[in-house]
Amino acid sequence: MTQTRRMQVLRAVVEDYIRTQEPVGSAALIARHDLHVSSATIRKDMSALEEEGYLVQPHTSAGRVPTERGYRYFVDTLATVVPLSETQRRAIHTFLDDSVNLQDTLQRAAHLLSRFTGQVAVVASPSLSKSRLWHLELVPVSANSILAVVVTDTGRVAQHVLSVAQLPSRDHLRSLSDTVNERCGSMTLRAAAAHIRTLRYGDDLQDVRELPDMLAQAFESMADEERTHELFMSGVSTLAHQQASAQDLAPLFDALEERAVLMHLMTELSETPDVRGVGVAIGSETNTPGLIHAAVVTSGYGASESSDGVDTPTDGMHEPIAFVGSIGPTHMNYAATMASVRAVAKYLTTFLGNTGTSKTSMAS
């Protein structure tokens, strides 16, 4: 019973500190929470929590503030993620439904998420390595080069120039692209590359026999693309204006410049979410010095089901193709941030699921 009450005290301290950013004392807890014990008992519990590493006392006569371990316990024991209000849900559709293409949608999503949380929002473009082939077009551009234009199921357009010794006829290029579209449609680019290498052509396609390996290499190159530049970010200036956190957040702004680091961290979190569909890293858990006083909340979007049986896990799990995330101080409102991140991720998943009839306009 004592341990249960003690953790209730911890939750109350975290809640109050998130709300006020001021050290929390026993008197404040008695006044704001129905803990049904004396102030002396609360002080004893807070002292025990400090010894256990959940709280810290900044000054001798001050109240306590949560440690990283305290925040972690709080996040792990959130029973539910508070749903967004009807106004917020309506705002998502009102603001994002007016987007003109995928890039505009992702930028708007970052802006909206930042507005909801008051923190830095980061939205990544769908990963080419996880996207699936929707359409291939082979276009001759010179006497010795062909432009391979790949449109994915997420609406992304990727291009790669193939250099050839002899340019095949347009009819033969069309036949090759039709064959790839028919046999490799809905495969990931890497799976499509493996399948393209197995294709066999009749005598009427002799002059395109050199292309399969080149095309397969192009697909693999696209799948390997790092794409750290495809991050849409919003809210840096908003967070910078939170003067009370300026000192702790200064290293965070430097960390935001390391986009490859953010990409790796947030991708990893989105691919290993908790039962609530989000991944949360607090302070040192980010393994990023600049984020030691920050927390990251991330959710994957566009989860796709394996269907080609070539390069996908055998456990049949779905895997997100990109992520939505929020970065802020460790005293962020975790419940609200998790709800906002999850809601925006859900919208983007639905948006991508509806692109089957509008890929051309998305890619324009």
Side-chain angles (χ1 to χ4, degrees), residues 99-122:
S99 59
V100 297
N101 55 35
L102 177 61
Q103 286 70 29
D104 186 35
T105 298
L106 299 182
Q107 186 61 70
R108 284 169 175 253
H111 179 75
L112 189 64
L113 180 57
S114 172
R115 198 169 76 188
F116 282 170
T117 64
Q119 299 162 174
V120 176
V122 182

